[in-house]
Amino acid sequence: MAGRTDEQHRIALFIDFENLVTNTGISSNNFDLQPALDQLLEQGKVVFRRAYCDWSRFADAKVRLHDVGVELVDVPPSTRAGKNSADMRLVIDALELCYAREQIDTFVIGSGDSDFCPLAYKLRENGRTVIGLAVKEASSRMFVNACDQFIYMRPKSHGGKDKDHGGKGKGDKDEGRGKRGGKGHKDEGKGHKAESSGKEGHEGKGGKNKAEVPAIAREVVQSLLRRATGPLNPSLIKETIVRKEPDFDERDHGFSTFARLLEALEQEGLLRRIQQGRQGYVVSPDTDLPAAPHEGKGGKGKGAKAPTPVEEEDEELESYPDPDDEGL
């Protein structure tokens, strides 16, 4: 069942709530799950939602979690020091659901704790996709790499603009952790205001939002094109990058969409974008195929197959099937 593409994924969400609100920049009274939930709904139906903690300590978050359909599992402290077994309960329930509900093919673990690595490995061993969900600064690199994909939550202290991108976003004050360094991350705080114009590298106050193609993107594109026997779907390129770097997000590097990143790679001469019907594809730059979207200017000679402008194609490349109203 896992990895199917013919229908929407069935997603189970498990949240170690205390882990997400302890020393992360997010507090229980401003915890907002909706941006991350919106991104999950782009991938499929979130059919199971459960959060674990001692809710007597975080009562101010209960109403907001109830509003988005999360079941609250109360795990009282089991020691004098106040520790509880929320993580153990989460692991047991996740494994039980994995074996009892084969139709659930994606498991989201809301925690950055490396203690959940064995759970991630076991779920993947059983053919499930594992997505991590946490704040970047509080996420273990071991756990990030144990997941198929990682979504970073964003503290609300960075202004109201975050709600547009909070589901996919990485940490606002990334300080060079992980493989990608700090260059793209420094731009993130101010970059969202500029992204709406779609002109990466020139927006933002002080001109600091410089778009920069990450090395992982060049590496994957060159490897896939070298072995390709035909045009590549851009989603395959994105999926391959995410498999190698689960917390990859093109916006960390100054690109508002993945299509913009492909455009930059095309300008570097590493690939060529073509249009076939309503779908865009990627081929090697020396491939003898119809011209990329750039060449549609005035295209009278071969206007019958004139590609759509890049601005319209961005959303086409990035889109997933819209979910029905079952999300919330």
Side-chain angles (χ1 to χ4, degrees), residues 8 56 104 222 277:
Q8 292 180 336
S56 65
I104 297 180
Q222 291 173 331

Short mmCIF file of all heavy atoms in Angstrom, two decimals, residues 8 56 104 222 277:
data_model
loop_
_atom_site.label_atom_id
_atom_site.label_comp_id
_atom_site.label_asym_id
_atom_site.label_seq_id
_atom_site.Cartn_x
_atom_site.Cartn_y
_atom_site.Cartn_z
N GLN A 8 -5.01 9.07 -3.16
CA GLN A 8 -4.46 9.83 -2.06
C GLN A 8 -3.90 8.91 -0.98
O GLN A 8 -4.40 7.82 -0.74
CB GLN A 8 -5.54 10.72 -1.45
CG GLN A 8 -6.00 11.84 -2.37
CD GLN A 8 -7.06 12.69 -1.72
OE1 GLN A 8 -7.76 12.25 -0.83
NE2 GLN A 8 -7.18 13.92 -2.17
N SER A 56 -2.60 18.26 31.86
CA SER A 56 -2.79 19.20 32.97
C SER A 56 -1.75 20.31 32.92
O SER A 56 -1.95 21.39 33.47
CB SER A 56 -2.70 18.46 34.31
OG SER A 56 -1.39 17.93 34.52
N ILE A 104 -3.36 2.47 5.92
CA ILE A 104 -2.62 3.68 6.34
C ILE A 104 -1.18 3.51 5.90
O ILE A 104 -0.45 2.67 6.45
CB ILE A 104 -2.74 3.91 7.85
CG1 ILE A 104 -4.21 4.16 8.22
CG2 ILE A 104 -1.87 5.07 8.29
CD1 ILE A 104 -4.45 4.41 9.69
N GLN A 222 21.92 16.01 -12.45
CA GLN A 222 22.93 15.44 -13.33
C GLN A 222 22.89 13.91 -13.32
O GLN A 222 23.01 13.27 -14.37
CB GLN A 222 24.32 15.94 -12.92
CG GLN A 222 24.53 17.42 -13.20
CD GLN A 222 25.84 17.95 -12.64
OE1 GLN A 222 26.35 17.43 -11.64
NE2 GLN A 222 26.40 18.98 -13.26
N GLY A 277 1.82 18.93 -23.88
CA GLY A 277 0.45 19.11 -23.44
C GLY A 277 0.40 20.07 -22.26
O GLY A 277 0.96 21.16 -22.32
#
